[in-house]
Amino acid sequence: MRILFAASEMAPWVKTGGLGDVAAALPIALTRLGNEVKVLLPAYPGLLKDFSDAPVVAELAGLGGTLPDALLREARTPEGVGLLLIDSPALYTRGGNPYLGPDGRDWPDNVSRFGLLSRAAALLASESSPLSWKPEVLHCHDWQSALAPAYLHYLHTQPAGVLLTVHNLAFQGKFARDTLEGLGLPARAWSMDGVEFYNELSFLKAGVQFADWVSTVSPTYAREIQTDAEGMGMAGLLRGRSATLSGILNGIDETVWNPALDPLLPAPYSQAKPEGKAANKRALQKKLGLEVRDDVMLFGVVSRLTYQKGLDLLAQTEAEAALIALPAQLAVLGSGEAALEEKFSALAKRHPGQVAVTLGFDEGLAHLIEAGADCFVMPSRFEPCGLNQMYSLAYGTPPIVRATGGLADTVIDLPAGARSAGTANGFVLGPAVPPALIEAMRRAHAAWRSPALWRQLQANGMGSRFDWRAPAGQYAALYRRIRRPAA
Ligand code: ADP
């Protein structure tokens, strides 16, 4: 099948979270299954630099509204995935984060930046495409490309089948009503069964309304978002789509996240040869200025520091006291909300040698924490899929998670007092309150002090397969249900 992806991130060129990983790894896995995948992306500076010789294959002109004309360039990754780059210097040639300006606020022209991405995706998946390559399926990812199915609905007659994957329902791409015209959408699109959402224009709502199929990134999250409690205002709409809504768990890129082959680790290790893990713990302790000790348990965190991730529970006084009393060490890597960053920095200052906090984004340190920590902490309030808990399982670092979304689909709880691990691979807490997290950390600590039990727990995680082959097969099955060659 010919599949056109539309996404705002693709690792390693641009990544702020899981979406960037998925947009990189899933096309490779689909290509290996014999499909032809091209990924449509804004031509950010990093992409233009790496693919500076990418030829112009089309001019995108007269897109409607105030959307600017742009050039379409084509390139190919070493893995054989096609790249279609929308070259619009006015919109995309700028540094920093793809969504936020240097002041930490949304770029003021995000509606045009991702309006253009959506409009271009629709055009390439329609009878009017300037390319001879016609996809059978357009696969949109998150709000940034979710307006494409609305464009196809209102402006085109013979579109490809459209799948919208919601990686995180919290980001809905909402803009003022008066952006409708500039986006080149007709006035009639402003309605409850159009792009309107509580008196704003929502890219994501438009996608949920008009895609042929909607998927999310875990079966549990697909159920949760249909409930009023977790539907973020879209539960009713999503319930109405329940027959064409499903969840497919993300895979992980096992060429990047594999402790036996990981070039970012000082000591490789595997399920068969686990000894190297202890050397990684020592290297991590040394690097972060923690006391270098095998006999103290080390908890690790790699995360965006936002309300979603529930790490405020860990930064709380109650949890701090429990951690220090165990005693255990804590290594945190993350960035996000200023208040939470400050709380964690203060925590580290109060407990030098026992708590280390690194603010920022650091791929190398992320790998070292996954490998060097004994146990990973991820108490998310909601988690569409989550990748870090799967990395942790693969790295023999049993995770502590909340029973939500993809965490619930991947982590099996070790109950208190269990003498053998059975199928358990980690620790699950219920409510997002500090006592529940503390209880789970104590439970993990007790299990860690029982080496045979801990080895079973680690082995259960390291023995699971989380690669992309199975998810890619599930996506291909979905594509077959909705495919429709454009024109
Ligand atoms: P989300 O996409 O909600 O942020 P996921 O667990 O799905 O959460 O994916 C997060 C990805 O981003 C993982 O690959 C993780 O290792 C990475 N990551 C998050 N924060 C950092 C950081 N501060 N430094 C390095 N990598 C990070």
Side-chain angles (χ1 to χ4, degrees), residues 193-206:
D193 47 19
V195 303
E196 187 262 349
F197 182 60
Y198 295 109
N199 219 28
E200 286 182 293
L201 184 154
S202 162
F203 278 43
L204 190 72
K205 187 264 175 153

Side-chain angles (χ1 to χ4, degrees), residues 285-305:
Q285 289 169 321
K286 192 153 175 246
K287 183 181 171 82
L288 297 179
L290 296 168
E291 277 182 55
V292 179
R293 288 176 62 169
D294 292 341
D295 61 340
V296 175
M297 187 177 189
L298 172 53
F299 289 98
V301 170
V302 180
S303 183
R304 290 186 290 119
L305 298 178

